[in-house]
Amino acid sequence: MTDLTKRTAAETAAAIANGEVSAVEVAEAHLDRIAKVDDRINAFLHVDAEGALAAARAVDAKRAAGEKLGPLAGVPLALKDLFTTRGIPTTCGSKILEGWLPPYDATVTRRLREADVVILGKSNMDEFAMGSSTENSAYGPTRNPWDLDRIPGGSGGGSAAALASFQAPLAIGTDTGGSIRQPGAVTGTVGVKPTYGGVSRYGMVAFSSSLDQGGPCARTVLDAALLHEAIAGYDMLDSTSIDAPVPAVVEAAKLGATQGIKGLRVGVVKQFAGEGYQAGVVQRFQESVELLRALGAEIVEIDCPSFDFALPAYYLIAPSECSSNLARFDAMRYGLRVGDDGAHSAEEVTALTREAGFGAEVKRRIMLGTYALSSGYYDAYYGQAQKVRTLIIRDFEAAFTQVDVLVSPTTPTTAFKIGERADDPMAMYLADLCTIPTNLAGNAGMSLPCGLAPEDGLPVGLQILAPAMADDRLYRVGAALEAALLEQWGRPILDLAPAL
Amino acid sequence: MSTATTDELMDLDEALARFDPVMGLEVHVELGTSTKMFCSCPTEFGAEPNTQVCPTCLGLPGALPVVNAVAVESAIRIGLALNCSIAEWCRFARKNYFYPDMPKNFQTSQYDEPIAYDGYLDVEVEGRSFRIGIERAHMEEDTGKSTHVGGATGRIHGADYSLVDYNRAGIPLIEIVTKPIVGVPGHLAPAVARAYVAELRELIVALGVSEARMERGQMRCDVNLSLKPAGAEKFGTRSETKNVNSLRSVERAARFEIQRHAAVLASGGTIVQETRHFHEDKGTTTSGRVKEEAEDYRYFPEPDLVPVAPSREWVEQLRATLPELPGARRKRLAQDWAISDFDMQSVVNAGALDVIEATVAAGSDPASARKWWLGELARTANERAVELAELPITPAHVARIVELVSAGELSDKLARQVIEGVLAGEGDPDAVVAKRGLKVVSDDGALLTAIDEAIAANPAVAEKIRGGNHKAAGVIVGAVMKATRVSRAFRLRATPAVPSAGWPPAGTERVRPRSGP
Amino acid sequence: MSAITREEVAHLARLSRLELSEAELDHFAEQLDAIVGAVARVSELPTEDVPPTSHALPMTNVFRQDVVRPAGTPILDRAEVLAQAPAAEDDRFRVPRILGED
Ligand SMILES: [Mg+2]
Ligand SMILES: [Zn+2]
């Protein structure tokens, strides 16, 4: 029996294109899977069965008419609820947008539709992408398919968990400080943060505009590359969109798997180690580095002294931008309105609505950002953080003169227990220690599974970092490592996850 | 809520004897671009509510801004025209504050990196020139418009709720801020404020970047004013009077605030730094809502927009597109028309520069063009409370009238009637002349016939005249006038074939000899 | 360096338009104090001659032609937009009475 939900996106697309299965069959298989397991996972905030089937039917009709299908035509996908979808609920995991039906599509949404990708629904996330565990969703936490008592990472826990529980072969995430890579790491899936400006942010609800970047999530490097090419590229509606050809990531993924990485210079960042790193994570990471060496890569230790200050800089810059970005949720034009009884003024209704509509982490960050931008504090906090950002960029620049890519563990630990860090923001923030510098510099980064930690049997992620617009290097290295690991393991890592 | 003010005022002369005013003017100009500052929505005035909106200017979640190239060009051209330096690199910034008509609850503006800075504009008042320093000109966006429902007045206070139309939200604005205006003799300060806004308006219109119609809110002025004791160095605390939206109001608001500040300071009080509202009807200002806490706009660079770095080549290309600026044009025309700066100022004050220039271009001599536009027509415009250009008479019409007058076909008095006819919609000057039969009679044959007929019809009178009673000629004259439908001010040729009665009677105007055909 | 008091939190809440409860004021004061104390580490790096970075990638001069709604621009349906508003009237967004200035 072939389980359609176990296939990779590339396999599914090929099967649909050659008529082995219909897109509708594929969509139905995934909708069935969602119906079967998602009450335990809570990966989806909204399932659009009708829309998915309609899109699938359209693909089948195209094929019947002899039209050429795109490389992902008919492949189902979970779309992070941070992207607007016309007429389909978009909540960003927040009560303040409960029931909102956007009147327009995000550019990513539009490109997915144009690529005939079948959008199954909207995936769960930390409210407005603020969090590392998806516990901050107003609609309940998402659970890690490896251990339902553990977090699936965040903010894109819904997307990662949907992949790991075979509810979708593809998902879209957003990465502001690691929200694609960290969930990928703790769920045994692949996640890529493209170069800032590589994927349009238009219609992606802003958390921290200078850091946010949408990107692909998948179970294999090649699938991620296929999705990357479907959504990336210049968009005139986003001023920070890069007007240059998309790096050839699919080709790079294929090359990596077949030609390897001989002669590649790989940097191991000194700062991503030491206290706070779980032994099993470090072990699997070091084994992978040795594997890269065995594959012909030259391994170099790299010193990036400013990276130690990335976390504090991030927790000033991101909250500052979010305090401004989230000001628009004021109960005037869309979303929740509380206290409109004729007695309260607009000002009061806004404050009452925001109080009722935002969760604790969002409020914390809004106030932290408001503080960091306040007159009298700006220079010491926001201004200083932006200077640290410059130093981090310089560290990367220096590093990339010596090596082609950098590698590190994606996260210091494997998935922690739900509730463990829920009201300890500082502990929670440590989950993004290794992922944050990339966001501050605008570079590209990938996380892919590199094994299970011996002490808890949970997935460990390896992070690869490349210079801006060299996203293809991630795929080249990632695919090579993936192929070598697969050869060692004999089967995909997700086959080791407990059955649901 | 009453808008009456309990503020005491000091007599203006006394106030100016004791204090020196320091003014600062902030002018917002809505650019006349086809699309908004950060999105491609149209900007047409008066469209159906919320039809010129998109995700960006509605501040919908996920929407992003993209800068309008023409708005940047306009900002640079305004900066150049104001003798400013143009930033080599500058950014937009977010100005954070909540307001229901501002969709994102921040205004995308510029903060410490304006696109244009450090310039000046010369203005003239009572024949004296004053150089107004320009601190900066920067780009930003307009807000939506609220209609207040309920309550007695349609004003915000006492309203039950408000309705918001976001068509205006995101229309490009250029904010132009002066340096503190000091050293202007106090009695001229309000007039200088007005002259500055008038001059700026002319410049904006000349650049073609906005119609700058104040009555439509396309140009809005904030008047900042403080007083310091006469001769003192240190500035006093200022008040900021918002949305002073006509030239006349600028002058009145400045005058009122001088008198109010002076009264407060003289009585030992202190001026509160606050915003004030100007009341067009009474010419007074009242205090805005006092905020519990000082505003903290938490400006920071707009991450959704990349920096603007105008190349010097681009700036020079834009400089080459600048038209002759109003000041230079006035100097040139004053010379061409052989009039003093002072007379030119009257022309400008009357808003007659364009029409007079066009009238001269249509063939009129400058003196006659000025005479008509500043006299008869200015009076009419004033009566009708419209601009000269809005009168239903064109420079070409006026030029034709001047031609008819200089050709001797119309007297000034007749010309006035022609103007009256044109203004009444009776057609162009020639049509009015024909319809009203307003031609000065210069056809000897027709006139002599009329005279002969008059003499024949009044044999007794003719006999008296022949007998030496010249006073009796009035009867004949009246009859001739009636017959030729010429007014009492008619003129005759210098040498008509007069009857022996001693024609023409004494006191009758003589007409210049016809020159040319 | 950090000293986020309850009053400070109340002030921040007013600036951010959050009607915090008394319990939240206490809780957030404690947490924000800890966070601010931690992030204040950014001042430990010597940055005297370091320019701040607001945009990671060095892009400048991204402009749009002044053309009304070119192809590819989302066009909104007014009825659809207003249907999402908490209240609408006369084709406008209906908002509670505004205390702000006239
Ligand atoms: Mg302004
Ligand atoms: Zn718009």
Side-chain angles (χ1 to χ4, degrees), chain A residues 12-13 16 22-24 26-27 30 55-56 59 69-70 72-76 115-118:
Chain A
T12 297
I16 292 170
S22 71
V24 168
V26 170
H30 286 89
V59 171
L69 298 181
L72 290 176
V75 180
D116 288 321
V117 170
V118 172

Side-chain angles (χ1 to χ4, degrees), chain B residues 26 28 95 97 107 109-110 138-141 173-175 177 222 299:
Chain B
E26 296 179 16
H28 285 86
K95 181 181 184 180
Y97 65 101
Q107 182 190 37
S109 179
Q110 292 193 287
H138 73 247
M139 302 176 276
E140 58 181 38
E141 57 179 335
L173 293 178
I174 304 298
E175 179 175 337
V177 182
D222 298 345
Y299 284 100

Side-chain angles (χ1 to χ4, degrees), chain A residues 202 234-240, chain B residues 35-40 56 64-69 92 304-305, chain C residues 62-65:
Chain A
Y202 190 81
Y234 174 69
D235 180 14
M236 67 169 187
L237 300 173
D238 176 356
S239 301
T240 59
Chain B
T35 67
K36 293 185 179 182
M37 187 73 219
F38 301 117
C39 64
S40 60
T56 298
L64 294 172
V66 187
V67 176
N68 183 337
F92 285 94
D304 285 330
L305 295 170
Chain C
V62 173
F63 303 129
R64 173 177 59 76
Q65 292 310 305

Side-chain angles (χ1 to χ4, degrees), chain B residues 66-143:
Chain B
V66 187
V67 176
N68 183 337
V70 172
V72 177
E73 287 184 352
S74 301
I76 293 173
R77 293 175 73 234
I78 289 171
L80 291 172
L82 291 171
N83 307 291
C84 287
S85 302
I86 303 302
E88 304 218 1
W89 191 89
C90 65
R91 287 175 295 192
F92 285 94
R94 291 187 183 177
K95 181 181 184 180
N96 294 287
Y97 65 101
F98 283 86
Y99 206 82
D101 63 14
M102 192 169 59
K104 296 166 292 176
N105 288 314
F106 61 78
Q107 182 190 37
T108 308
S109 179
Q110 292 193 287
Y111 179 46
D112 49 359
E113 298 163 0
I115 187 146
Y117 57 95
D118 197 17
Y120 62 86
L121 182 63
D122 291 330
V123 303
E124 267 167 49
V125 171
E126 292 191 8
R128 293 181 55 180
S129 182
F130 297 95
R131 176 156 290 189
I132 309 298
I134 304 292
E135 176 81 37
R136 56 190 283 147
H138 73 247
M139 302 176 276
E140 58 181 38
E141 57 179 335
D142 212 339
T143 59

Side-chain angles (χ1 to χ4, degrees), chain A residues 61-97:
Chain A
K62 265 192 183 178
R63 188 178 176 279
E67 280 182 50
K68 192 170 161 8
L69 298 181
L72 290 176
V75 180
L77 172 139
L79 180 58
K80 191 176 185 181
D81 205 26
L82 202 59
F83 291 86
T84 60
T85 42
R86 185 171 180 188
I88 295 167
T90 300
T91 67
C92 305
S94 181
K95 279 273 177 257
I96 211 160
L97 278 179

